[in-house]
Amino acid sequence: MTKSEERKIEGQKTLASGYVTLDDLKKAGNIPPDGILEARAVPIIDDIEEIPCTPCRDVCPTGAIIMPSMNDPPKVKWEACTGCTLCVQACPGLAITLVNMSFGRKVLKRNDIALVSIPYEMIPVPKRGDRVRVYDRGHNYLCDGEVYSVIKSVKFGTIVINVLVPKQYALHAKYLEVIKGE
Amino acid sequence: MKEIDRRVYEHPILSFDRGRRVRVFFEGKEVPAFESETIAAALYAAGVLQFNYSARLLRPRGPFCMIGKCSQCMMRVNGVPHVRTCITPVEDGMVVEREANHDMELPSPKEGLRVERLSLSYDVVVVGAGPAGLKAALKASDAGARVAVLDQSPVAGGQLSKQTHKFFGTKESYAGMRGVDIARMLVSMVKERENIDLYLRTQVIGYFRREGLLIAYQAKSVNEFGVLVIRAKAYIVATGAMERNLIFSGDDLPGVMGAGAAQTLMNIFGVRPADKPLIVGAGNVGVIVAYQALQAGIDVQAVIDIAPKSAAYLVHSSKIRRMGVPILMRTTIKEAYGNGRVEGAVIYEVDERFRPIPGSERDVEVDGVWLATGLSPSVELLELMRAKIKFVPELGGYVPLRTQYLETTASSVFIAGDVSSIEEASTAMMEGVVAGISAAEKVGLGRDDLRTERSESLRWLETFRSGPHYRRIKEGLNKVLIQ
């Protein structure tokens, strides 16, 4: 158990209190169909609101993020995404994870493992090979994950942790904490 | 006894260059301090939370705003009473004391006050060196105006300097840059301009309307001042806003402070204001400050809000939810309690008519209560200038009437930023562009390319404000727009 799991007060599980679920994102069309998910890396954007914000759209090299006006919520053209993680690094709201379900199969020869890119602005920063605790959108513990790599870009300033998790947790994984003593 | 040090030495975003160590004496004991700190920051770092007493009941009091707007941080420094310790930098050998009955005594020449008078003249004077003021100064300077920027703080940048998060918006509003980096950039641009003079630790204390004279004092030390008598052809008031208090039992206990005050301590000075605070108000300010507190290693216990739905951008609130910080809606604070400082709080739930729900009270173990319950525009100077003011709740309270070019009903007085309506730093900067160009035009420095830029900025503001979060603000703006 980490310090953050020991908070005594329980939050309300409502969208009105900032608690977003995968269902909320599915309803908004922010989760791709299974076929696409199995085939390629895709950004999962936890923004379903009209807010004036455009960095993800502006940074995307292939125009895969559609946002006609600055207040429109981003929509992804799944087949145009190259999985470059620039939107994950650029998003000021740390709202984007990149989910790569095929990574285990293609790179590690393990069909049960996915790679998730998670934006991170805390300390300590984990390093390759570290075990981390992986949480969902409501800080419910999902699983331990292994850090595959860490992207640090001076331009964007937000670190991206690429973490390996069992596939069934990939769409849920949204936050991680370094296990003390790692 | 172990020496308390509440400073943050490791931070994911910020690095604190505190400078040389200096000695400050508080009630006979040496308090470690660094030259970049204010007296209030150094005291807080040493665990001193109680700065003075209330005048009649002698209740312990501590700082509330940390930006020189409230009076709760006033102390006697080197024998001079009523020094605002939150905006007064430490000096080696300073002697700081709590003062009782602080409203009974006035500083007098016997304290050895040294005052020097200076007469100055500018095309445009900007009051406030926050996002709006800095942008306005740069634009007026682009037009060729001679500009002065005044701010009472020892640090320029206003609230921008405290923002560790990356800004929303578009490239025109520096989206993707952290507020603290935007502040650094704007301040260095202002300092490079030969036609802008930046006066810090300088507070406006009067305005003579008939003569068009602004009176300000520039603090050089606690007992040494320059009195500036400034004549300008146009003024831009960008004085920002003041955090609102909330009334509850124990609301004056040291440790109860504005969320922005907590930000000042955490992010400007790298001092932890509390270890496990409760934040009241789940709008953007409340949840952003919660996130910043987590970055500073502070274990936020909960964010509560009496409204049924958080007014924050979902993106901001979900950021702290995934980190395990609970947000409780329809929940508010009944009391804060403790011996001389916050040691706990009682919260309760309300029904749809905001009546307490019986049996919902609970005690929470917290050591700080941070209020993010809204801001009130700082319109005092505009009132002195006789700009017409109107009460518009959608914009945060009393705000001046203005044209689309941000000129008030007072002749040659312009506004920008939170003083015109409580919005965001992004809109404040864009209003700064509009006001800066308009003020320059007013003093005969109009230029076609700048007028085009002003139109583009106005269009940008229109688009930015077209989302659902801005519906109320837009309604409010319609009530104060004049021809």
PDB file of all heavy atoms in Angstrom, chain B residues 40 44 62-73 84 86-87 152 159 162 241-245 256-265 269 371 375 378:
ATOM      1  N   ALA B  40       7.395  36.417   5.578  1.00  0.00           N
ATOM      2  CA  ALA B  40       6.327  35.452   5.837  1.00  0.00           C
ATOM      3  C   ALA B  40       6.733  34.051   5.389  1.00  0.00           C
ATOM      4  O   ALA B  40       6.466  33.066   6.083  1.00  0.00           O
ATOM      5  CB  ALA B  40       5.045  35.881   5.126  1.00  0.00           C
ATOM      6  N   TYR B  44       7.039  30.848   7.887  1.00  0.00           N
ATOM      7  CA  TYR B  44       6.260  29.627   7.626  1.00  0.00           C
ATOM      8  C   TYR B  44       7.175  28.415   7.493  1.00  0.00           C
ATOM      9  O   TYR B  44       6.873  27.330   7.984  1.00  0.00           O
ATOM     10  CB  TYR B  44       5.404  29.795   6.358  1.00  0.00           C
ATOM     11  CG  TYR B  44       3.938  29.567   6.638  1.00  0.00           C
ATOM     12  CD1 TYR B  44       3.131  30.616   7.044  1.00  0.00           C
ATOM     13  CD2 TYR B  44       3.372  28.303   6.520  1.00  0.00           C
ATOM     14  CE1 TYR B  44       1.792  30.416   7.332  1.00  0.00           C
ATOM     15  CE2 TYR B  44       2.034  28.091   6.810  1.00  0.00           C
ATOM     16  CZ  TYR B  44       1.253  29.140   7.211  1.00  0.00           C
ATOM     17  OH  TYR B  44      -0.074  28.935   7.510  1.00  0.00           O
ATOM     18  N   GLY B  62      -3.068  34.305  11.183  1.00  0.00           N
ATOM     19  CA  GLY B  62      -1.970  34.015  10.263  1.00  0.00           C
ATOM     20  C   GLY B  62      -2.292  34.571   8.900  1.00  0.00           C
ATOM     21  O   GLY B  62      -3.407  35.029   8.670  1.00  0.00           O
ATOM     22  N   PRO B  63      -1.347  34.536   7.989  1.00  0.00           N
ATOM     23  CA  PRO B  63      -1.562  35.117   6.659  1.00  0.00           C
ATOM     24  C   PRO B  63      -2.712  34.445   5.912  1.00  0.00           C
ATOM     25  O   PRO B  63      -2.914  33.236   6.049  1.00  0.00           O
ATOM     26  CB  PRO B  63      -0.251  34.859   5.920  1.00  0.00           C
ATOM     27  CG  PRO B  63       0.699  34.308   6.899  1.00  0.00           C
ATOM     28  CD  PRO B  63      -0.033  33.915   8.131  1.00  0.00           C
ATOM     29  N   PHE B  64      -3.445  35.221   5.137  1.00  0.00           N
ATOM     30  CA  PHE B  64      -4.538  34.651   4.342  1.00  0.00           C
ATOM     31  C   PHE B  64      -4.260  34.701   2.844  1.00  0.00           C
ATOM     32  O   PHE B  64      -4.543  33.758   2.120  1.00  0.00           O
ATOM     33  CB  PHE B  64      -5.851  35.380   4.633  1.00  0.00           C
ATOM     34  CG  PHE B  64      -7.001  34.852   3.811  1.00  0.00           C
ATOM     35  CD1 PHE B  64      -7.622  33.664   4.167  1.00  0.00           C
ATOM     36  CD2 PHE B  64      -7.433  35.507   2.664  1.00  0.00           C
ATOM     37  CE1 PHE B  64      -8.651  33.139   3.395  1.00  0.00           C
ATOM     38  CE2 PHE B  64      -8.472  34.995   1.892  1.00  0.00           C
ATOM     39  CZ  PHE B  64      -9.080  33.811   2.264  1.00  0.00           C
ATOM     40  N   CYS B  65      -3.710  35.815   2.336  1.00  0.00           N
ATOM     41  CA  CYS B  65      -3.632  35.956   0.869  1.00  0.00           C
ATOM     42  C   CYS B  65      -2.225  35.790   0.315  1.00  0.00           C
ATOM     43  O   CYS B  65      -2.050  35.382  -0.817  1.00  0.00           O
ATOM     44  CB  CYS B  65      -4.233  37.287   0.423  1.00  0.00           C
ATOM     45  SG  CYS B  65      -3.096  38.689   0.545  1.00  0.00           S
ATOM     46  N   MET B  66      -1.217  36.122   1.068  1.00  0.00           N
ATOM     47  CA  MET B  66       0.185  35.992   0.680  1.00  0.00           C
ATOM     48  C   MET B  66       0.573  36.808  -0.557  1.00  0.00           C
ATOM     49  O   MET B  66       1.613  36.556  -1.172  1.00  0.00           O
ATOM     50  CB  MET B  66       0.556  34.517   0.438  1.00  0.00           C
ATOM     51  CG  MET B  66       0.781  33.748   1.717  1.00  0.00           C
ATOM     52  SD  MET B  66       2.366  34.165   2.473  1.00  0.00           S
ATOM     53  CE  MET B  66       2.278  33.193   3.962  1.00  0.00           C
ATOM     54  N   ILE B  67      -0.294  37.751  -0.962  1.00  0.00           N
ATOM     55  CA  ILE B  67       0.082  38.607  -2.093  1.00  0.00           C
ATOM     56  C   ILE B  67      -0.140  40.081  -1.766  1.00  0.00           C
ATOM     57  O   ILE B  67      -0.376  40.901  -2.649  1.00  0.00           O
ATOM     58  CB  ILE B  67      -0.657  38.235  -3.406  1.00  0.00           C
ATOM     59  CG1 ILE B  67      -2.175  38.177  -3.186  1.00  0.00           C
ATOM     60  CG2 ILE B  67      -0.142  36.937  -3.968  1.00  0.00           C
ATOM     61  CD1 ILE B  67      -2.980  38.042  -4.480  1.00  0.00           C
ATOM     62  N   GLY B  68      -0.078  40.416  -0.499  1.00  0.00           N
ATOM     63  CA  GLY B  68      -0.123  41.826  -0.117  1.00  0.00           C
ATOM     64  C   GLY B  68      -1.486  42.477  -0.176  1.00  0.00           C
ATOM     65  O   GLY B  68      -1.596  43.694  -0.211  1.00  0.00           O
ATOM     66  N   LYS B  69      -2.566  41.669  -0.172  1.00  0.00           N
ATOM     67  CA  LYS B  69      -3.894  42.269  -0.269  1.00  0.00           C
ATOM     68  C   LYS B  69      -4.644  42.274   1.057  1.00  0.00           C
ATOM     69  O   LYS B  69      -5.379  43.200   1.343  1.00  0.00           O
ATOM     70  CB  LYS B  69      -4.707  41.570  -1.353  1.00  0.00           C
ATOM     71  CG  LYS B  69      -4.068  41.738  -2.738  1.00  0.00           C
ATOM     72  CD  LYS B  69      -5.058  41.695  -3.886  1.00  0.00           C
ATOM     73  CE  LYS B  69      -4.312  41.823  -5.204  1.00  0.00           C
ATOM     74  NZ  LYS B  69      -5.136  42.250  -6.327  1.00  0.00           N
ATOM     75  N   CYS B  70      -4.503  41.219   1.852  1.00  0.00           N
ATOM     76  CA  CYS B  70      -5.152  41.231   3.162  1.00  0.00           C
ATOM     77  C   CYS B  70      -4.169  41.848   4.162  1.00  0.00           C
ATOM     78  O   CYS B  70      -3.108  42.290   3.773  1.00  0.00           O
ATOM     79  CB  CYS B  70      -5.562  39.817   3.585  1.00  0.00           C
ATOM     80  SG  CYS B  70      -4.233  38.791   4.232  1.00  0.00           S
ATOM     81  N   SER B  71      -4.536  41.905   5.429  1.00  0.00           N
ATOM     82  CA  SER B  71      -3.617  42.514   6.397  1.00  0.00           C
ATOM     83  C   SER B  71      -3.202  41.529   7.464  1.00  0.00           C
ATOM     84  O   SER B  71      -2.692  41.902   8.510  1.00  0.00           O
ATOM     85  CB  SER B  71      -4.285  43.725   7.048  1.00  0.00           C
ATOM     86  OG  SER B  71      -4.701  44.624   6.064  1.00  0.00           O
ATOM     87  N   GLN B  72      -3.447  40.242   7.220  1.00  0.00           N
ATOM     88  CA  GLN B  72      -3.266  39.265   8.290  1.00  0.00           C
ATOM     89  C   GLN B  72      -1.810  38.861   8.527  1.00  0.00           C
ATOM     90  O   GLN B  72      -1.540  38.097   9.428  1.00  0.00           O
ATOM     91  CB  GLN B  72      -4.126  38.036   8.008  1.00  0.00           C
ATOM     92  CG  GLN B  72      -5.595  38.364   8.071  1.00  0.00           C
ATOM     93  CD  GLN B  72      -6.455  37.194   8.471  1.00  0.00           C
ATOM     94  OE1 GLN B  72      -7.589  37.393   8.791  1.00  0.00           O
ATOM     95  NE2 GLN B  72      -5.939  35.969   8.437  1.00  0.00           N
ATOM     96  N   CYS B  73      -0.914  39.362   7.693  1.00  0.00           N
ATOM     97  CA  CYS B  73       0.482  38.976   7.885  1.00  0.00           C
ATOM     98  C   CYS B  73       1.291  40.109   8.507  1.00  0.00           C
ATOM     99  O   CYS B  73       2.500  40.030   8.620  1.00  0.00           O
ATOM    100  CB  CYS B  73       1.104  38.573   6.560  1.00  0.00           C
ATOM    101  SG  CYS B  73       1.338  39.968   5.445  1.00  0.00           S
ATOM    102  N   ARG B  84       3.782  44.534   5.975  1.00  0.00           N
ATOM    103  CA  ARG B  84       3.204  43.366   5.299  1.00  0.00           C
ATOM    104  C   ARG B  84       4.328  42.367   5.028  1.00  0.00           C
ATOM    105  O   ARG B  84       5.072  42.485   4.056  1.00  0.00           O
ATOM    106  CB  ARG B  84       2.581  43.777   3.969  1.00  0.00           C
ATOM    107  CG  ARG B  84       1.230  44.433   4.090  1.00  0.00           C
ATOM    108  CD  ARG B  84       0.669  44.674   2.695  1.00  0.00           C
ATOM    109  NE  ARG B  84      -0.233  45.789   2.686  1.00  0.00           N
ATOM    110  CZ  ARG B  84      -1.532  45.701   3.003  1.00  0.00           C
ATOM    111  NH1 ARG B  84      -2.052  44.558   3.322  1.00  0.00           N
ATOM    112  NH2 ARG B  84      -2.292  46.772   2.977  1.00  0.00           N
ATOM    113  N   CYS B  86       4.340  39.421   3.960  1.00  0.00           N
ATOM    114  CA  CYS B  86       4.272  38.504   2.815  1.00  0.00           C
ATOM    115  C   CYS B  86       4.885  39.098   1.558  1.00  0.00           C
ATOM    116  O   CYS B  86       5.181  38.374   0.615  1.00  0.00           O
ATOM    117  CB  CYS B  86       2.828  38.068   2.556  1.00  0.00           C
ATOM    118  SG  CYS B  86       1.838  39.289   1.706  1.00  0.00           S
ATOM    119  N   ILE B  87       5.054  40.420   1.530  1.00  0.00           N
ATOM    120  CA  ILE B  87       5.671  41.021   0.336  1.00  0.00           C
ATOM    121  C   ILE B  87       6.942  41.783   0.702  1.00  0.00           C
ATOM    122  O   ILE B  87       7.452  42.558  -0.096  1.00  0.00           O
ATOM    123  CB  ILE B  87       4.693  41.944  -0.445  1.00  0.00           C
ATOM    124  CG1 ILE B  87       4.043  42.981   0.473  1.00  0.00           C
ATOM    125  CG2 ILE B  87       3.631  41.127  -1.161  1.00  0.00           C
ATOM    126  CD1 ILE B  87       3.284  44.062  -0.274  1.00  0.00           C
ATOM    127  N   GLN B 152       3.177  45.793  -6.321  1.00  0.00           N
ATOM    128  CA  GLN B 152       3.554  45.843  -4.913  1.00  0.00           C
ATOM    129  C   GLN B 152       4.414  44.648  -4.495  1.00  0.00           C
ATOM    130  O   GLN B 152       5.077  44.676  -3.465  1.00  0.00           O
ATOM    131  CB  GLN B 152       2.316  45.946  -4.035  1.00  0.00           C
ATOM    132  CG  GLN B 152       1.395  44.753  -4.121  1.00  0.00           C
ATOM    133  CD  GLN B 152       0.175  44.908  -3.245  1.00  0.00           C
ATOM    134  OE1 GLN B 152       0.038  45.882  -2.541  1.00  0.00           O
ATOM    135  NE2 GLN B 152      -0.723  43.953  -3.300  1.00  0.00           N
ATOM    136  N   GLN B 159       0.078  35.995 -10.630  1.00  0.00           N
ATOM    137  CA  GLN B 159      -0.296  34.608 -10.339  1.00  0.00           C
ATOM    138  C   GLN B 159       0.328  33.624 -11.324  1.00  0.00           C
ATOM    139  O   GLN B 159       0.373  32.421 -11.075  1.00  0.00           O
ATOM    140  CB  GLN B 159      -1.827  34.459 -10.319  1.00  0.00           C
ATOM    141  CG  GLN B 159      -2.545  35.485  -9.457  1.00  0.00           C
ATOM    142  CD  GLN B 159      -1.883  35.699  -8.121  1.00  0.00           C
ATOM    143  OE1 GLN B 159      -1.773  34.785  -7.317  1.00  0.00           O
ATOM    144  NE2 GLN B 159      -1.378  36.905  -7.870  1.00  0.00           N
ATOM    145  N   LYS B 162       3.136  31.196 -10.218  1.00  0.00           N
ATOM    146  CA  LYS B 162       2.851  30.087  -9.310  1.00  0.00           C
ATOM    147  C   LYS B 162       2.300  28.871 -10.038  1.00  0.00           C
ATOM    148  O   LYS B 162       1.964  27.877  -9.406  1.00  0.00           O
ATOM    149  CB  LYS B 162       1.773  30.485  -8.308  1.00  0.00           C
ATOM    150  CG  LYS B 162       1.919  31.815  -7.656  1.00  0.00           C
ATOM    151  CD  LYS B 162       0.741  31.949  -6.719  1.00  0.00           C
ATOM    152  CE  LYS B 162       0.527  33.338  -6.266  1.00  0.00           C
ATOM    153  NZ  LYS B 162      -0.681  33.466  -5.458  1.00  0.00           N
ATOM    154  N   ALA B 241      -7.120  40.336  -8.565  1.00  0.00           N
ATOM    155  CA  ALA B 241      -8.247  40.007  -7.711  1.00  0.00           C
ATOM    156  C   ALA B 241      -7.757  39.556  -6.353  1.00  0.00           C
ATOM    157  O   ALA B 241      -6.579  39.334  -6.132  1.00  0.00           O
ATOM    158  CB  ALA B 241      -9.078  38.902  -8.359  1.00  0.00           C
ATOM    159  N   MET B 242      -8.714  39.435  -5.454  1.00  0.00           N
ATOM    160  CA  MET B 242      -8.436  39.042  -4.076  1.00  0.00           C
ATOM    161  C   MET B 242      -9.249  37.790  -3.777  1.00  0.00           C
ATOM    162  O   MET B 242     -10.411  37.700  -4.153  1.00  0.00           O
ATOM    163  CB  MET B 242      -8.862  40.213  -3.182  1.00  0.00           C
ATOM    164  CG  MET B 242      -9.120  39.884  -1.746  1.00  0.00           C
ATOM    165  SD  MET B 242      -7.578  39.906  -0.830  1.00  0.00           S
ATOM    166  CE  MET B 242      -8.157  39.291   0.751  1.00  0.00           C
ATOM    167  N   GLU B 243      -8.636  36.838  -3.127  1.00  0.00           N
ATOM    168  CA  GLU B 243      -9.358  35.606  -2.808  1.00  0.00           C
ATOM    169  C   GLU B 243     -10.435  35.867  -1.766  1.00  0.00           C
ATOM    170  O   GLU B 243     -10.240  36.624  -0.825  1.00  0.00           O
ATOM    171  CB  GLU B 243      -8.386  34.556  -2.262  1.00  0.00           C
ATOM    172  CG  GLU B 243      -7.377  34.154  -3.286  1.00  0.00           C
ATOM    173  CD  GLU B 243      -6.645  32.901  -2.882  1.00  0.00           C
ATOM    174  OE1 GLU B 243      -5.686  33.035  -2.119  1.00  0.00           O
ATOM    175  OE2 GLU B 243      -7.039  31.807  -3.309  1.00  0.00           O
ATOM    176  N   ARG B 244     -11.566  35.204  -1.956  1.00  0.00           N
ATOM    177  CA  ARG B 244     -12.673  35.391  -1.028  1.00  0.00           C
ATOM    178  C   ARG B 244     -12.541  34.489   0.175  1.00  0.00           C
ATOM    179  O   ARG B 244     -12.092  33.364   0.062  1.00  0.00           O
ATOM    180  CB  ARG B 244     -13.986  35.045  -1.726  1.00  0.00           C
ATOM    181  CG  ARG B 244     -14.458  36.163  -2.571  1.00  0.00           C
ATOM    182  CD  ARG B 244     -15.908  35.930  -2.932  1.00  0.00           C
ATOM    183  NE  ARG B 244     -16.119  36.570  -4.211  1.00  0.00           N
ATOM    184  CZ  ARG B 244     -16.768  36.016  -5.206  1.00  0.00           C
ATOM    185  NH1 ARG B 244     -17.273  34.809  -5.088  1.00  0.00           N
ATOM    186  NH2 ARG B 244     -16.911  36.660  -6.328  1.00  0.00           N
ATOM    187  N   ASN B 245     -12.984  35.015   1.292  1.00  0.00           N
ATOM    188  CA  ASN B 245     -13.044  34.212   2.498  1.00  0.00           C
ATOM    189  C   ASN B 245     -14.383  33.486   2.538  1.00  0.00           C
ATOM    190  O   ASN B 245     -15.274  33.777   1.752  1.00  0.00           O
ATOM    191  CB  ASN B 245     -12.901  35.119   3.719  1.00  0.00           C
ATOM    192  CG  ASN B 245     -12.243  34.388   4.868  1.00  0.00           C
ATOM    193  OD1 ASN B 245     -12.389  33.178   4.983  1.00  0.00           O
ATOM    194  ND2 ASN B 245     -11.530  35.102   5.692  1.00  0.00           N
ATOM    195  N   VAL B 256      -5.743  28.440   7.954  1.00  0.00           N
ATOM    196  CA  VAL B 256      -6.830  28.677   7.003  1.00  0.00           C
ATOM    197  C   VAL B 256      -6.346  29.777   6.078  1.00  0.00           C
ATOM    198  O   VAL B 256      -6.010  30.874   6.537  1.00  0.00           O
ATOM    199  CB  VAL B 256      -8.129  29.124   7.714  1.00  0.00           C
ATOM    200  CG1 VAL B 256      -9.222  29.418   6.683  1.00  0.00           C
ATOM    201  CG2 VAL B 256      -8.594  28.070   8.695  1.00  0.00           C
ATOM    202  N   MET B 257      -6.235  29.497   4.805  1.00  0.00           N
ATOM    203  CA  MET B 257      -5.729  30.522   3.898  1.00  0.00           C
ATOM    204  C   MET B 257      -6.326  30.343   2.507  1.00  0.00           C
ATOM    205  O   MET B 257      -6.957  29.321   2.216  1.00  0.00           O
ATOM    206  CB  MET B 257      -4.198  30.449   3.814  1.00  0.00           C
ATOM    207  CG  MET B 257      -3.645  29.142   3.295  1.00  0.00           C
ATOM    208  SD  MET B 257      -1.859  29.231   2.981  1.00  0.00           S
ATOM    209  CE  MET B 257      -1.235  29.397   4.622  1.00  0.00           C
ATOM    210  N   GLY B 258      -6.154  31.334   1.686  1.00  0.00           N
ATOM    211  CA  GLY B 258      -6.585  31.225   0.309  1.00  0.00           C
ATOM    212  C   GLY B 258      -5.758  30.155  -0.393  1.00  0.00           C
ATOM    213  O   GLY B 258      -4.592  29.939  -0.067  1.00  0.00           O
ATOM    214  N   ALA B 259      -6.382  29.490  -1.369  1.00  0.00           N
ATOM    215  CA  ALA B 259      -5.648  28.471  -2.121  1.00  0.00           C
ATOM    216  C   ALA B 259      -4.473  29.113  -2.865  1.00  0.00           C
ATOM    217  O   ALA B 259      -3.415  28.511  -3.014  1.00  0.00           O
ATOM    218  CB  ALA B 259      -6.584  27.766  -3.096  1.00  0.00           C
ATOM    219  N   GLY B 260      -4.674  30.363  -3.284  1.00  0.00           N
ATOM    220  CA  GLY B 260      -3.602  31.076  -3.962  1.00  0.00           C
ATOM    221  C   GLY B 260      -2.447  31.390  -3.021  1.00  0.00           C
ATOM    222  O   GLY B 260      -1.288  31.432  -3.424  1.00  0.00           O
ATOM    223  N   ALA B 261      -2.781  31.585  -1.739  1.00  0.00           N
ATOM    224  CA  ALA B 261      -1.733  31.834  -0.749  1.00  0.00           C
ATOM    225  C   ALA B 261      -0.886  30.583  -0.570  1.00  0.00           C
ATOM    226  O   ALA B 261       0.348  30.645  -0.499  1.00  0.00           O
ATOM    227  CB  ALA B 261      -2.365  32.242   0.579  1.00  0.00           C
ATOM    228  N   ALA B 262      -1.577  29.439  -0.529  1.00  0.00           N
ATOM    229  CA  ALA B 262      -0.853  28.178  -0.423  1.00  0.00           C
ATOM    230  C   ALA B 262       0.065  27.999  -1.639  1.00  0.00           C
ATOM    231  O   ALA B 262       1.207  27.563  -1.519  1.00  0.00           O
ATOM    232  CB  ALA B 262      -1.841  27.018  -0.330  1.00  0.00           C
ATOM    233  N   GLN B 263      -0.457  28.401  -2.802  1.00  0.00           N
ATOM    234  CA  GLN B 263       0.346  28.340  -4.036  1.00  0.00           C
ATOM    235  C   GLN B 263       1.596  29.209  -3.944  1.00  0.00           C
ATOM    236  O   GLN B 263       2.669  28.814  -4.389  1.00  0.00           O
ATOM    237  CB  GLN B 263      -0.479  28.892  -5.191  1.00  0.00           C
ATOM    238  CG  GLN B 263      -1.115  27.880  -6.059  1.00  0.00           C
ATOM    239  CD  GLN B 263      -1.770  28.558  -7.247  1.00  0.00           C
ATOM    240  OE1 GLN B 263      -2.208  29.700  -7.179  1.00  0.00           O
ATOM    241  NE2 GLN B 263      -1.839  27.852  -8.342  1.00  0.00           N
ATOM    242  N   THR B 264       1.432  30.405  -3.394  1.00  0.00           N
ATOM    243  CA  THR B 264       2.579  31.300  -3.256  1.00  0.00           C
ATOM    244  C   THR B 264       3.669  30.620  -2.436  1.00  0.00           C
ATOM    245  O   THR B 264       4.837  30.603  -2.826  1.00  0.00           O
ATOM    246  CB  THR B 264       2.164  32.612  -2.558  1.00  0.00           C
ATOM    247  OG1 THR B 264       1.090  33.190  -3.286  1.00  0.00           O
ATOM    248  CG2 THR B 264       3.321  33.597  -2.484  1.00  0.00           C
ATOM    249  N   LEU B 265       3.268  30.056  -1.303  1.00  0.00           N
ATOM    250  CA  LEU B 265       4.254  29.402  -0.442  1.00  0.00           C
ATOM    251  C   LEU B 265       4.889  28.201  -1.142  1.00  0.00           C
ATOM    252  O   LEU B 265       6.110  28.057  -1.165  1.00  0.00           O
ATOM    253  CB  LEU B 265       3.595  28.969   0.867  1.00  0.00           C
ATOM    254  CG  LEU B 265       3.349  30.081   1.884  1.00  0.00           C
ATOM    255  CD1 LEU B 265       2.463  29.581   3.018  1.00  0.00           C
ATOM    256  CD2 LEU B 265       4.673  30.613   2.448  1.00  0.00           C
ATOM    257  N   PHE B 269       8.090  30.069  -3.197  1.00  0.00           N
ATOM    258  CA  PHE B 269       9.145  29.959  -2.189  1.00  0.00           C
ATOM    259  C   PHE B 269       9.523  28.514  -1.856  1.00  0.00           C
ATOM    260  O   PHE B 269      10.486  28.274  -1.134  1.00  0.00           O
ATOM    261  CB  PHE B 269       8.714  30.688  -0.905  1.00  0.00           C
ATOM    262  CG  PHE B 269       8.472  32.151  -1.139  1.00  0.00           C
ATOM    263  CD1 PHE B 269       7.184  32.672  -1.129  1.00  0.00           C
ATOM    264  CD2 PHE B 269       9.530  33.005  -1.426  1.00  0.00           C
ATOM    265  CE1 PHE B 269       6.954  34.018  -1.379  1.00  0.00           C
ATOM    266  CE2 PHE B 269       9.308  34.347  -1.675  1.00  0.00           C
ATOM    267  CZ  PHE B 269       8.020  34.861  -1.656  1.00  0.00           C
ATOM    268  N   LEU B 371      -8.904  27.787   0.929  1.00  0.00           N
ATOM    269  CA  LEU B 371     -10.173  28.199   0.347  1.00  0.00           C
ATOM    270  C   LEU B 371     -10.013  28.579  -1.117  1.00  0.00           C
ATOM    271  O   LEU B 371      -9.268  29.500  -1.453  1.00  0.00           O
ATOM    272  CB  LEU B 371     -10.736  29.383   1.132  1.00  0.00           C
ATOM    273  CG  LEU B 371     -10.950  29.119   2.633  1.00  0.00           C
ATOM    274  CD1 LEU B 371     -11.455  30.379   3.318  1.00  0.00           C
ATOM    275  CD2 LEU B 371     -11.914  27.967   2.840  1.00  0.00           C
ATOM    276  N   LEU B 375     -12.998  34.584  -6.325  1.00  0.00           N
ATOM    277  CA  LEU B 375     -12.149  35.766  -6.248  1.00  0.00           C
ATOM    278  C   LEU B 375     -12.996  37.005  -6.471  1.00  0.00           C
ATOM    279  O   LEU B 375     -14.008  36.958  -7.155  1.00  0.00           O
ATOM    280  CB  LEU B 375     -11.080  35.693  -7.341  1.00  0.00           C
ATOM    281  CG  LEU B 375     -10.096  34.521  -7.220  1.00  0.00           C
ATOM    282  CD1 LEU B 375      -9.710  34.012  -8.593  1.00  0.00           C
ATOM    283  CD2 LEU B 375      -8.865  34.955  -6.455  1.00  0.00           C
ATOM    284  N   SER B 378     -10.097  43.391  -7.791  1.00  0.00           N
ATOM    285  CA  SER B 378      -9.533  44.465  -6.959  1.00  0.00           C
ATOM    286  C   SER B 378      -9.748  45.813  -7.647  1.00  0.00           C
ATOM    287  O   SER B 378      -8.879  46.295  -8.371  1.00  0.00           O
ATOM    288  CB  SER B 378      -8.041  44.227  -6.727  1.00  0.00           C
ATOM    289  OG  SER B 378      -7.841  43.054  -5.998  1.00  0.00           O
TER     290      SER B 378
END
